[in-house]
Amino acid sequence: MEPLIEQKPTAFVDRRQTTYGDFPESVERRQFTNSHESNRSEVVELAEAIDQYKLCHRRRFITFEELYDVMTGLGYHK
């Protein structure tokens, strides 16, 4: 019995090992990248706290509930 569809083998490309564009390999993508350049210290503090939360919990993006937890951890209250 012959196969109905002939498939050619394809080479596996590991895209994680290649670099794209002019980005250094050590650059990490963040959800709030430009917030660190703010002139307001509160904004910088929040951005750093969010980044720290994401690193500790191994999260690339956070939910609104997690954002609220970070904010209350900084002392925010309604």
Side-chain angles (χ1 to χ4, degrees), residues 28-44:
E28 251 186 282
R29 293 177 56 188
R30 299 286 183 180
Q31 187 174 5
F32 300 111
T33 308
N34 61 353
S35 296
H36 295 281
E37 299 172 5
S38 175
N39 293 330
R40 297 174 51 194
S41 61
E42 307 88 17
V43 175
V44 174

Side-chain angles (χ1 to χ4, degrees), residues 6-70:
E6 185 178 325
Q7 295 180 346
K8 296 180 182 180
T10 58
F12 176 75
V13 178
D14 189 359
R15 293 179 286 174
R16 295 173 293 182
Q17 300 300 322
T18 60
T19 57
Y20 297 101
D22 297 330
F23 298 110
E25 291 183 22
S26 62
V27 171
E28 251 186 282
R29 293 177 56 188
R30 299 286 183 180
Q31 187 174 5
F32 300 111
T33 308
N34 61 353
S35 296
H36 295 281
E37 299 172 5
S38 175
N39 293 330
R40 297 174 51 194
S41 61
E42 307 88 17
V43 175
V44 174
E45 181 183 17
L46 177 61
E48 290 174 354
I50 291 170
D51 280 346
Q52 189 63 37
Y53 180 90
K54 290 193 294 185
L55 287 172
C56 290
H57 293 89
R58 301 180 61 116
R59 301 285 303 243
R60 186 166 178 181
F61 299 102
I62 61 174
T63 64
F64 287 115
E65 187 173 338
E66 291 170 321
L67 176 59
Y68 182 77
D69 291 341
V70 171

